[in-house]
Amino acid sequence: MAAMKTQNNVNEKLDDDDSNTNLWTSILEDVHSRAKNRLPTCENIVVLGDNGTGRTSLMSRLHGHDDSFKGTGLEYLYIDVHNEDLDEHGKCSVWIVDGDPAQKELLPFSLPTVEQTPHTLVLLVVDFSRPWDFMESLERWLKVITRHMDSLNLSPQDKAELQSKLVHDFQDYQEPDESGRIPRKPSIIIPDTVDDVILPLPDGALTHNIGLPLVVVAHKSDAMDSLEKDSEYREEHFDFIQLHLRRFCLRVGAALFYTSTRENYNLDNLHRYLVHRLYKLPYSHPVNVIDRDSISIPLGWDSLKRMSLIEDNLSSMKAEDSYEIHIRRPIVRKPMSQDREVMAEDEQTFLLKQQVVLNKAATPGKESVIQRPLGPGRPPSERKSVGAPGGINTGPKKSIDPKSGGGVSGIPGAGPGSTNEGVLANFFNSLLTKKPGTPGATSPPGGVPAPGLPNRSATFHNDAAVELDRMKRQTSTAASPAGPV
């Protein structure tokens, strides 16, 4: 009895161990099957460009976040990759390098090492709101990448393998048909070999082959409308810009995309193309060279012959012209300050201030009429004539006749209101008493007029005398005779 019971316990224990073993086996098999559906995680995207080009906002949208963030130095994020045909998932690393030249020491942490080179794609981003910086920025960052590739000290065999791979990607491109399907490209096989024949490249293609796949992104393409309004750009300018960008891409072996996060231009298309280049997933989006703000040209489609269509549309520009001749940096003008509202000062306050200024400007040692105005508290005899130089009456002294109402004796008809006529009379009398040799006389030096010229001094004196007589007659006619008091 005891032996049978012990045997049963042993059998139950073995059954439990078998069930536990089967459970762990099923878990391991499930994990192993899921691992087969994972895409490689060693693929990298390095984003280069000047500050302010919108690199972080662009990659944030590709990552799936609408709210962009901005970092400094070296930024890192990832984008999700999904192969719908095989239900495979993966994550692609994205490194965003600061565009400040002072951060150059961070480049080795983002740009590939020898082992990472075959798994890296470089994204060059330029800002379409500043098209005058396009070519200078692209050439500068191309030099940075070239110097870094030279610093890796790749063997000639490894370097030739990377360049051959880029040439193969250029020639392997197949444009999808109208239904979106990619026709199968027949491969040319040399007899008794299994290697594909490398056909000659089109003229001007991959003349600067650095061995890295490149994609040029002209971001903020929605700024074209602002360029038309503010900088007077025309369609010809945008064709000229596209022509130079396509020439650069053909020379270095790069694809070209116009994007905009504000208007959602080409974002999904760019995401599919990046996944296609890194993971060799199908890409069936057609080429777009018609919509000026949504240009998309994959590697291998473009050629100088196709660019000639743009050259034919240029009228006032030539295809051979330098980029900076027609796409110039605008002249920055300082904004004019806004007109401030000026409050008008009270009239009496303004006049009082002017009186103070005139009093201060009076000649020292001489009394000013403004300082001591003629009024009831001051006898008229103390007034100085303003018609004579220095305010001093140079004519004969006139007596005041109180019966005539304060008039000046010696002038017929002088009475109340005749002060102005007296001043003018004194002024003309002073002119008549000046001799030709005195300062202010109009006669030439020596007192003798030049031959053939009229005597200006005599003419002046005659005119003054006539004017004086006319004023006297006018005064005597206007004044009434004073009657007895």
Side-chain angles (χ1 to χ4, degrees):
M1 256 335 251
M4 291 180 62
K5 189 175 182 179
T6 301
Q7 185 66 31
N8 292 334
N9 292 335
V10 171
N11 293 335
E12 291 177 358
K13 186 176 182 180
L14 291 175
D15 293 338
D16 293 339
D17 293 340
D18 291 340
S19 61
N20 292 334
T21 302
N22 294 334
L23 177 61
W24 281 109
T25 302
S26 63
I27 293 175
L28 291 176
E29 290 177 352
D30 183 53
V31 171
H32 182 67
S33 63
R34 290 183 179 180
K36 291 181 179 180
N37 294 333
R38 289 183 179 178
L39 293 171
T41 58
C42 58
E43 310 299 325
N44 299 311
I45 298 176
V46 179
V47 184
L48 302 177
D50 298 337
N51 289 334
T53 55
R55 299 161 299 154
T56 303
S57 61
L58 173 63
M59 301 313 298
S60 298
R61 290 291 297 272
L62 297 182
H63 176 61
H65 292 281
D66 294 335
D67 297 334
S68 61
F69 57 90
K70 184 178 180 180
T72 57
L74 185 62
E75 303 176 54
Y76 173 81
L77 49 85
Y78 64 89
I79 59 175
D80 295 319
V81 182
H82 181 211
N83 184 359
E84 297 178 357
D85 297 336
L86 301 177
D87 195 23
E88 295 177 336
H89 298 269
K91 296 184 184 301
C92 179
S93 299
V94 178
W95 300 91
I96 305 176
V97 183
D98 197 305
D100 189 354
Q103 305 293 339
K104 288 184 178 179
E105 63 274 7
L106 298 176
L107 293 176
F109 296 97
S110 57
L111 290 176
T113 61
V114 177
E115 295 78 11
Q116 294 174 334
T117 302
H119 307 283
T120 302
L121 180 145
V122 177
L123 208 66
L124 300 177
V125 183
V126 291
D127 184 1
F128 223 116
S129 63
R130 298 174 294 175
W132 44 87
D133 293 334
F134 275 6
M135 305 314 300
E136 189 273 336
S137 177
L138 291 174
E139 294 291 348
R140 174 162 33 86
W141 287 108
L142 182 63
K143 291 180 181 179
V144 171
I145 302 172
T146 303
R147 285 196 299 264
H148 179 76
M149 293 296 293
D150 295 339
S151 66
L152 296 179
N153 297 324
L154 296 173
S155 63
Q157 182 179 0
D158 293 338
K159 189 174 182 179
E161 183 178 353
L162 292 174
Q163 293 177 346
S164 300
K165 182 176 180 297
L166 195 59
V167 172
H168 181 271
D169 291 342
F170 187 97
Q171 296 180 338
D172 195 51
Y173 173 77
Q174 286 291 310
E175 187 175 0
D177 54 19
E178 296 179 357
S179 61
R181 293 182 301 178
I182 301 176
R184 187 173 183 179
K185 181 179 180 181
S187 58
I188 302 176
I189 306 297
I190 300 178
D192 302 330
T193 64
V194 294
D195 296 330
D196 291 347
V197 175
I198 299 179
L199 299 176
L201 292 171
D203 293 339
L206 283 172
T207 57
H208 188 84
N209 190 345
I210 62 175
L212 280 177
L214 301 174
V215 176
V216 174
V217 177
H219 194 40
K220 303 180 185 179
S221 61
D222 57 288
M224 292 184 180
D225 297 335
S226 300
L227 292 174
E228 286 181 331
K229 296 178 182 178
D230 301 336
S231 302
E232 299 181 354
Y233 275 44
R234 306 186 305 273
E235 287 295 334
E236 191 174 6
H237 288 86
F238 298 124
D239 290 341
F240 189 78
I241 293 172
Q242 182 188 150
L243 176 63
H244 279 262
L245 289 177
R246 289 172 64 175
R247 284 178 176 177
F248 175 85
C249 293
L250 183 65
R251 176 167 60 92
V252 302
L256 176 63
F257 286 85
Y258 286 13
T259 60
S260 172
T261 53
R262 179 178 298 178
E263 300 295 338
N264 199 24
Y265 293 153
N266 263 347
L267 297 182
D268 294 337
N269 186 18
L270 177 62
H271 184 277
R272 294 192 190 98
Y273 185 76
L274 296 178
V275 171
H276 160 71
R277 292 295 301 275
L278 290 173
Y279 296 92
K280 304 304 178 184
L281 298 182
Y283 176 76
S284 59
H285 197 281
V287 177
N288 184 5
V289 292
I290 304 300
D291 300 330
R292 67 175 191 177
D293 47 12
S294 302
I295 299 296
S296 59
I297 304 176
L299 174 67
W301 180 87
D302 211 354
S303 63
L304 294 177
K305 184 177 180 180
R306 285 174 168 167
M307 295 180 195
S308 62
L309 298 176
I310 297 181
E311 298 176 4
D312 296 338
N313 294 331
L314 299 178
S315 58
S316 62
M317 306 177 186
K318 296 181 180 180
E320 298 79 14
D321 291 344
S322 176
Y323 186 81
E324 292 77 13
I325 293 178
H326 303 290
I327 312 300
R328 302 176 183 177
R329 184 184 301 273
I331 300 176
V332 179
R333 296 182 175 87
K334 295 182 179 180
M336 298 181 62
S337 59
Q338 297 181 355
D339 296 335
R340 297 180 179 179
E341 183 179 0
V342 179
M343 298 299 296
E345 190 177 10
D346 182 69
E347 181 180 1
Q348 296 301 322
T349 305
F350 171 77
L351 294 176
L352 288 176
K353 290 182 179 180
Q354 297 303 316
Q355 183 180 6
V356 174
V357 173
L358 292 175
N359 290 336
K360 290 182 179 179
T363 305
K366 294 184 179 180
E367 189 177 10
S368 174
V369 176
I370 300 177
Q371 291 176 341
R372 300 182 61 184
L374 181 62
R378 185 185 178 193
S381 60
E382 296 183 10
R383 185 177 61 84
K384 297 181 180 181
S385 174
V386 296
I392 303 175
N393 187 359
T394 58
K397 185 179 295 184
K398 308 295 180 180
S399 61
I400 305 301
D401 187 3
K403 298 182 179 179
S404 60
V408 181
S409 63
I411 299 179
S418 63
T419 304
N420 293 333
E421 288 77 359
V423 171
L424 291 175
N426 293 334
F427 172 72
F428 284 111
N429 286 329
S430 66
L431 292 177
L432 293 174
T433 57
K434 289 186 179 180
K435 297 181 180 181
T438 58
T442 58
S443 62
V448 181
L453 295 177
N455 191 339
R456 298 181 180 177
S457 178
T459 303
F460 180 81
H461 290 172
N462 292 336
D463 293 342
V466 171
E467 181 66 19
L468 180 59
D469 293 337
R470 185 187 64 80
M471 293 180 61
K472 288 181 178 180
R473 289 194 301 268
Q474 183 178 3
T475 304
S476 61
T477 302
S480 59
V485 180

